[in-house]
Amino acid sequence: MMTTPRLSPLQQVSLVILRSLVGWHFLYEGYTKLLHPAWSQAGAPLPPWSSAAYLKAATGPFAPLFHWIGNASWIGSLDLTIAVGLTAVGVSLMLGLFTQLGCGGALALLASFYLAAVPTGGADVRAEGTYLVVNKNLVEACAVLVLFAFRTGSIAGVDLLWMRSRPATVPVQEVVV
Amino acid sequence: MNLTPEQMELGRRNFLKVLAGTPAMAALGAAAALRGPAPGGRVRIAFIGVGSQGRAQLTNVDPGYGDVRALCDINPAQLKLADGVLAKNGMPPARHYGDWREMLQKEDVEAVIMAPPLWAHAELAVGCLDAGKHVLCEKMMAWDLASCERMRAAALRNDRVLEIGYQRNHNPMYQAAYDGIVKAGVLGDIYHVRLAWHRNGSWRRKAEPPSPDYNPSQWGYPTFDHLINWRLYWKYSQGLMAELCSHQVNAANWFLGSSPDAVIASGGLYRFPENREVYDHVYVTFEYPGGRTAVFSSVESNAFDDYYEMYMGTKGTLIMLREREALLFEEGGSGRQTGIEVTPAGKGAAAQSSETMAANTNQGATRAVTTPSAGGDAAARPSATRLQMRRFCSAIRVGMPLACGPDKAIGSARACIGANEAIKTKARVNLRTT
């Protein structure tokens, strides 16, 4: 019978660090959006946040769809959904709680962010660097894919504690023919 | 003190050249930015006293920072004028009150900005602070020191912001002069400061009562003239020392890092004795620690000297002229040339109200507004009063340090109240024991 090769401690720690960092990124992005209206610590009110500007500036093959969403009357509800989604994903990945679900949410959000601004080589004022096809959203999405594939919730986190606290189940006897 | 245009230009360039090497407040901003944003919307504000100074503050409320909900004044004519200010700035109308207590009960405001006559500062400020409101009170802090102390205690007791409105503290030109010239030691050791505020006029304001039967006696003003010209009566005012000198001595205290130990003074009511009690000429010497002396004079019979603060150091002289110009002269030198054209002074400063500016005097024709140097986008620069309004809101929301909290304000109030006492008693007044 084939057994799953056990990850080395370094590999496990690396994966959990990666999950925590990605989780913090999501959590803080979501938290600061939910915070609005808000002030910078330098003492100035922050401009109100909305995804509308990002969506209206969408490029790439799905641009028309995102432009339409950006102009929709329900953009306020979408903004709230995104902020809550980011926060929930952040909490999930930070705590290792419903980790696979959190990874799925993170992938969905990052995919939509990526598709709304696929770097096709032109200058994009929204980007802080110069990208062609691959940008930080895509790299972060791949990082989340790794977290998903390695089921990091069973390495450390609330998911693991839950699994351990469940009473051991009696293994089902294989039917011997 | 009068300078030729060439001397003015030289002084201006000297000032700017020295400033060029001064790191800005960027480090502070960067440190502050390490903390995340704080929740909160615009600060909900009420105004008490919307006379000329109150309206100057009202027009400078940044709509991104503050939301003016209510206005209170015992003179309905002032409320009407304040409505015009709101409308002109595209701000929504605010509700009107004649009674500040009623306003505090009915309005959900966080902060009160007040510019009533001096004698009312303490009662109003303490009442607002005790009601849990943050307070920005126009200078001088209060009519007497006991009232100043009551205000400070109320701010501490209620853990609320209490800022006293000295526009120089918010003027970027003053901040630049302090950081880049005074603190940097460019002037050497400063032993002497000259403060002057000279005008040629009666200081009397003309206004009609809001209605023929308007009677302000219920608020302590026997006639309408006592209300509209409260600055001229001792009951309500500390005269030129409070309305003019306190601005300059507050700035001198900042630049010298201290407040005076003692004051000697003379003066009197020489030119306009009718319907007036406060002096129209004052000559004051403030003794600071370390052998430093500031002299202040204010005359209402000659405007030739205009108004300025002059810091005379062992290595150079800094002149802060009319709140709009900063001039630097090397001691004994011919001055240093520079190609820098940006000046911290600008058109914005002219928009603010102060006692000598045209809007508040009958001497508009004698006052030339200094045009900004080429190269600076003066129109885009906010005025000191606007910066003051912003900072007050920032102090409430994220705890930005106050530019002039109770401690500093008491320092300048004590000096000015002491100067009037010195004139009245013809004695040297020790400010450390009074």
Side-chain angles (χ1 to χ4, degrees), chain A residues 28 35 37-46, chain B residues 32 35-38 40-41 64-65 394 397:
Chain A
Y28 197 70
L35 208 59
W39 290 59
S40 75
Q41 289 295 337
L46 296 173
Chain B
R35 290 187 292 154
Y65 286 63
S394 304
R397 276 289 173 269

Side-chain angles (χ1 to χ4, degrees), chain A residues 1-79:
Chain A
M1 192 175 93
M2 269 187 63
T3 55
T4 308
R6 193 177 168 78
L7 296 173
S8 74
L10 178 62
Q11 288 167 329
Q12 294 185 38
V13 167
S14 304
L15 285 168
V16 172
I17 288 174
L18 179 64
R19 194 189 71 201
S20 302
L21 296 182
V22 173
W24 172 250
H25 183 208
F26 272 81
L27 179 62
Y28 197 70
E29 282 278 11
Y31 163 76
T32 52
K33 287 174 176 60
L34 288 174
L35 208 59
H36 279 78
W39 290 59
S40 75
Q41 289 295 337
L46 296 173
W49 175 79
S50 172
S51 58
Y54 189 82
L55 292 165
K56 285 178 191 170
T59 53
F62 303 99
L65 172 67
F66 290 114
H67 292 166
W68 174 73
I69 297 172
N71 288 302
S73 58
W74 39 268
I75 190 74
S77 306
L78 180 69
D79 289 341

Side-chain angles (χ1 to χ4, degrees), chain B residues 131-305:
Chain B
K133 313 301 177 190
H134 304 282
V135 170
L136 169 57
C137 179
E138 180 53 27
K139 71 90 199 56
M140 196 171 69
M141 190 171 181
W143 191 88
D144 61 356
L145 278 178
S147 298
C148 293
E149 294 293 353
R150 279 174 53 218
M151 289 168 67
R152 171 160 64 183
L156 285 171
R157 180 168 69 238
N158 296 291
D159 192 23
R160 299 286 111 168
V161 170
L162 173 60
E163 168 88 10
I164 307 302
Y166 284 105
Q167 287 78 33
R168 282 167 176 74
N169 289 59
H170 303 271
N171 187 329
M173 187 181 73
Y174 277 75
Q175 189 67 52
Y178 176 69
D179 289 336
I181 306 291
V182 177
K183 206 170 149 193
V186 174
L187 301 182
D189 297 323
I190 304 167
Y191 288 99
H192 186 38
V193 180
R194 182 185 297 156
L195 312 172
W197 212 319
H198 290 194
R199 308 182 301 182
N200 192 344
S202 71
W203 206 11
R204 176 165 290 283
R205 296 183 179 194
K206 295 188 178 77
E208 293 298 317
S211 61
D213 58 346
Y214 181 74
N215 179 11
S217 61
Q218 59 177 306
W219 297 290
Y221 304 93
T223 68
F224 183 69
D225 183 69
H226 284 80
L227 173 59
I228 207 74
N229 281 307
W230 61 267
R231 289 170 184 79
L232 307 183
Y233 300 93
W234 285 122
K235 180 181 177 184
Y236 320 110
S237 167
Q238 287 282 359
L240 295 169
M241 293 310 301
E243 300 306 311
L244 303 186
C245 180
S246 82
H247 277 294
Q248 294 189 315
V249 82
N250 196 65
N253 288 356
W254 172 20
F255 280 21
L256 297 179
S258 179
S259 57
D261 285 335
V263 56
I264 51 178
S266 66
L269 181 52
Y270 304 132
R271 188 184 178 198
F272 301 105
E274 293 86 22
N275 298 323
R276 171 172 176 151
E277 296 169 3
V278 303
Y279 311 129
D280 51 20
H281 291 72
V282 289
Y283 312 90
V284 183
T285 301
F286 294 110
E287 297 171 11
Y288 282 78
R292 297 171 299 173
T293 304
V295 296
F296 169 78
S297 62
S298 183
V299 305
E300 296 200 314
S301 55
N302 180 295
F304 189 68
D305 221 13

